[in-house]
Amino acid sequence: MSITVVGSIAYDAVKTPFGERERMLGGAAVHFALAASFFDRVHVVGPVGDDFGEAELQAMRDRDVDVTDIERVVGGKTFFWRGEYGWDLNSRETLDTQLGVFEGFAPKLSSQSRSSDVLFLANIQPDLQREVRAQLPAARFVALDSMNLWIDIARDSLIAAIESVDCVILNDAELRQLTGKPNLFSAAREVLTWGPRVIVAKQGEYGAALVTAECFFSLPAYPLETVVDPTGAGDTFAGGFVGYIAAHLGGGELSDELLRAAMAHGTALASFNVEEFGTERVVRLTDEEIAGRVAELREITSFSGAPTL
Amino acid sequence: MSITVVGSIAYDAVKTPFGERERMLGGAAVHFALAASFFDRVHVVGPVGDDFGEAELQAMRDRDVDVTDIERVVGGKTFFWRGEYGWDLNSRETLDTQLGVFEGFAPKLSSQSRSSDVLFLANIQPDLQREVRAQLPAARFVALDSMNLWIDIARDSLIAAIESVDCVILNDAELRQLTGKPNLFSAAREVLTWGPRVIVAKQGEYGAALVTAECFFSLPAYPLETVVDPTGAGDTFAGGFVGYIAAHLGGGELSDELLRAAMAHGTALASFNVEEFGTERVVRLTDEEIAGRVAELREITSFSGAPTL
């Protein structure tokens, strides 16, 4: 299989208690693609400006990511985001957002990108997500991310987009906002009735939960003594999760077992991502490191069948 | 073994989105004792006033909890707390606190209470915790809870109390506040250097984490579609956790395996507690229900060893 991702390709300026970067490679599609590249071939769809550097493209190519559908808009500027994190990294303030070439973005997919069996609609305007979704009618697994902004200003379109996918990956607060249900489990079950078969609730430092019609699964974040930069953690999680599914779905069903293992791989990828700024850690990650961390995650969540009473 | 707990015995007035109670049995020592009673004999130490009812004492006796060290203060009033929870139950407002007989409380332990091998110091003034701790010098396992108030106004005494126990059970925000470390894992490791061998970080709806010198273990909360009243969940968790340890420690060591199973039992007890108001659910719980929920917790946290790549 191969995976197509549509979403932002960006330069980020980030300040955390552990340092800062003035202009580093970022964006949801980039974080997703680098993570998913450990499992399968990824085609990235999204716009950049004249200012987007060769080195950044090469960082993706080095992970065998297909960048031919990254559209360079002449005279345009690459999406730019500046943010600063608080002392415990759980709060962040957006100081600047320059949409640049994203303002007039109309996704153009090559035949290769359209032939993927797996599609990830990263957080962009829901109308665009639906437009891309429609271009891969035969995809076997389609997942979607979004954000509070679209719930606020484009709720109907977002719900239509959600109705068209297999899997929704949102923060738990976004699931609550989207459904108006304060209980996370109820909120996830509500979204299941709209069409998707799989709901993933990202819970930041607490990990993530998976809800399907038959199954509930929860996994803590990997414990780190130092988190340097959480930027892109959610998209990196999604890359590991969706990437693992793409690599292992084959001709089979989306089993609970597969989804749980995918959660573990997403969690492992995200834990590496936050150890350094931006994409710095993930670009030099190895398969062995990922496998090692998945094994550690199993170890820190296992308890034995000691007799109860 | 038997377990001694010192802490509040209270009447609670609670309002949640699912209803309200004007005057129900509550208090940290009560919630702890009822939960721990499923595993071992519990002696409760704490004061009540003239207004404390026979039915409330009988509710504890029905669970074979020893209430002989519940001191009835003539002319005094039982500790009273009134609170209201927000729509998602994660925020609560204290509307009234009447210390009553707790104001002049000086713990008096019978020889039976002093002979327990396991002691739980529920959230009370740290000087009192130290005084009780000193009366059980031979206890094999001593655990302590506290709150932000004591970190603010009695930090030195609290740290002295922590230095004298085996296990600290705090909310994650309290661990951060106590150590000044924003990272939970670092905060827990810092407290380990003060003396305790075991740190439990309660994380509310997200579950709980266990940190020792050699081990990290994390367990999500049991997923519930309806949480009716979170009051006492933390103490009920502690009762299940400490109770399980008391029942299974025997002459052996405090192994990681034992601690992990204890976490699962604490989590199971807490999940029942929040299903109804106050102690209403736990008083009619059965051993089989607890065992069933522990098994479910294992199921919702397990993932198989599918090949990584």
Side-chain angles (χ1 to χ4, degrees):
Chain A
M1 298 203 184
S2 71
I3 307 167
T4 294
V5 55
V6 59
S8 61
I9 301 155
Y11 281 118
D12 289 340
V14 171
K15 188 172 178 182
T16 85
F18 299 94
E20 52 191 306
R21 294 289 184 277
E22 257 309 295
R23 190 173 172 82
M24 65 183 182
L25 177 60
V30 171
H31 283 287
F32 175 92
L34 291 174
S37 74
F38 288 90
F39 305 95
D40 215 332
R41 171 87 163 157
V42 185
H43 311 286
V44 178
V45 178
V48 297
D50 293 327
D51 57 336
F52 197 70
E54 178 57 29
E56 283 76 10
L57 284 173
Q58 193 56 43
M60 288 184 262
R61 287 194 203 102
D62 287 346
R63 290 278 338 138
D64 201 28
V65 170
D66 174 25
V67 297
T68 53
D69 276 1
I70 294 184
E71 182 191 358
R72 192 180 288 271
V73 180
V74 177
K77 280 197 73 177
T78 302
F79 183 94
F80 177 78
W81 178 78
R82 180 185 294 278
E84 184 170 345
Y85 289 83
W87 80 300
D88 68 356
L89 298 170
N90 285 328
S91 64
R92 79 174 182 195
E93 195 183 353
T94 291
L95 301 172
D96 192 7
T97 304
Q98 297 174 21
L99 289 179
V101 291
F102 241 86
E103 211 138 9
F105 175 49
K108 296 174 197 68
L109 278 71
S110 63
S111 61
Q112 277 210 317
S113 289
R114 282 199 307 273
S115 68
S116 286
D117 280 317
V118 172
L119 171 64
F120 183 63
L121 304 165
N123 167 36
I124 52 174
Q125 218 286 339
D127 292 343
L128 294 180
Q129 292 181 316
R130 292 160 66 191
E131 203 179 307
V132 174
R133 172 68 184 97
Q135 294 186 48
L136 284 89
R140 294 197 53 216
F141 183 74
V142 182
L144 165 155
D145 186 15
S146 191
M147 72 184 293
N148 54 353
L149 173 69
W150 310 122
I151 302 173
D152 284 335
I153 68 170
R155 191 170 186 278
D156 291 347
S157 180
L158 175 57
I159 289 176
I162 288 172
E163 287 169 349
S164 77
V165 302
D166 302 287
C167 173
V168 169
I169 303 176
L170 287 175
N171 295 328
D172 52 0
E174 291 163 350
L175 279 166
R176 291 186 166 107
Q177 184 192 352
L178 178 65
T179 60
K181 289 184 180 291
N183 179 284
L184 177 63
F185 197 35
S186 298
R189 290 215 160 169
E190 167 86 15
V191 179
L192 284 176
T193 68
W194 301 351
R197 293 179 286 163
V198 180
I199 312 297
V200 176
K202 294 180 287 184
Q203 302 171 314
E205 62 164 327
Y206 298 110
L210 171 85
V211 184
T212 70
E214 300 84 25
C215 157
F216 180 92
F217 174 67
S218 182
L219 195 64
Y222 180 82
L224 291 167
E225 285 213 57
T226 304
V227 173
V228 167
D229 174 19
T231 309
D235 295 301
T236 304
F237 170 91
F241 178 78
V242 174
Y244 187 89
I245 290 170
H248 292 87
L249 184 55
E253 279 304 299
L254 204 57
S255 68
D256 285 351
E257 192 184 351
L258 174 61
L259 290 169
R260 288 168 183 240
M263 289 278 289
H265 286 78
T267 300
L269 263 296
S271 75
F272 285 113
N273 177 76
V274 303
E275 286 182 350
E276 298 182 21
F277 278 93
T279 63
E280 292 169 13
R281 180 70 181 91
V282 171
V283 292
R284 53 167 221 278
L285 201 56
T286 67
D287 293 346
E288 292 67 32
E289 288 174 314
I290 297 169
R293 195 152 284 185
V294 168
E296 284 185 90
L297 281 167
R298 190 175 298 117
E299 156 63 19
I300 67 170
T301 57
S302 298
F303 61 97
S304 74
T308 302
L309 292 162
Chain B
M1 298 202 184
S2 71
I3 306 166
T4 294
V5 55
V6 59
S8 60
I9 301 154
Y11 281 118
D12 289 341
V14 171
K15 189 172 179 182
T16 84
F18 299 94
E20 52 190 307
R21 293 290 184 277
E22 257 310 296
R23 189 173 172 83
M24 64 183 181
L25 176 61
V30 172
H31 283 288
F32 176 92
L34 291 174
S37 74
F38 287 90
F39 304 95
D40 215 333
R41 171 88 164 158
V42 184
H43 311 287
V44 177
V45 179
V48 297
D50 293 326
D51 57 337
F52 197 71
E54 178 56 29
E56 283 77 8
L57 284 174
Q58 193 56 42
M60 288 185 262
R61 285 193 204 103
D62 286 346
R63 290 280 336 139
D64 200 30
V65 169
D66 175 24
V67 298
T68 53
D69 276 1
I70 293 184
E71 183 190 358
R72 193 180 286 272
V73 180
V74 178
K77 281 198 73 177
T78 302
F79 183 93
F80 177 77
W81 178 78
R82 180 185 294 278
E84 185 170 343
Y85 290 82
W87 82 300
D88 68 356
L89 298 168
N90 285 327
S91 63
R92 80 174 183 195
E93 195 183 352
T94 290
L95 301 172
D96 193 9
T97 305
Q98 297 175 21
L99 289 179
V101 292
F102 241 85
E103 210 137 11
F105 175 50
K108 295 174 197 69
L109 279 70
S110 64
S111 61
Q112 278 208 317
S113 289
R114 283 198 308 272
S115 68
S116 287
D117 279 316
V118 172
L119 171 64
F120 182 63
L121 305 165
N123 167 36
I124 52 174
Q125 218 286 341
D127 292 344
L128 294 179
Q129 291 181 315
R130 292 160 67 191
E131 203 179 306
V132 174
R133 172 68 183 97
Q135 293 185 48
L136 284 89
R140 294 196 52 214
F141 183 73
V142 182
L144 164 155
D145 186 15
S146 191
M147 72 185 292
N148 54 353
L149 173 69
W150 310 123
I151 301 173
D152 284 335
I153 69 171
R155 191 170 187 277
D156 290 348
S157 181
L158 175 58
I159 289 177
I162 288 172
E163 287 170 349
S164 77
V165 302
D166 303 287
C167 173
V168 169
I169 303 176
L170 288 175
N171 295 329
D172 53 358
E174 292 164 350
L175 278 167
R176 292 187 166 108
Q177 184 192 351
L178 178 65
T179 58
K181 288 184 181 290
N183 179 284
L184 178 63
F185 196 35
S186 298
R189 290 215 160 168
E190 167 85 16
V191 180
L192 283 177
T193 69
W194 302 351
R197 293 177 286 164
V198 180
I199 312 297
V200 175
K202 294 179 287 184
Q203 301 170 315
E205 62 164 326
Y206 298 109
L210 170 85
V211 184
T212 69
E214 300 84 25
C215 157
F216 180 92
F217 174 68
S218 182
L219 195 64
Y222 180 82
L224 291 168
E225 285 213 58
T226 304
V227 173
V228 168
D229 174 20
T231 309
D235 295 302
T236 304
F237 171 91
F241 178 79
V242 173
Y244 187 89
I245 291 172
H248 293 86
L249 184 55
E253 279 303 300
L254 203 58
S255 68
D256 284 350
E257 192 185 351
L258 174 60
L259 290 169
R260 286 169 183 240
M263 288 277 289
H265 285 78
T267 299
L269 263 296
S271 75
F272 285 114
N273 178 76
V274 303
E275 286 182 350
E276 298 181 21
F277 277 92
T279 62
E280 291 169 14
R281 180 69 180 92
V282 171
V283 292
R284 51 166 223 278
L285 201 55
T286 66
D287 293 346
E288 291 67 31
E289 289 174 314
I290 297 169
R293 197 151 282 185
V294 169
E296 283 185 89
L297 281 167
R298 188 175 300 116
E299 156 62 18
I300 67 170
T301 57
S302 296
F303 61 98
S304 75
T308 303
L309 293 162

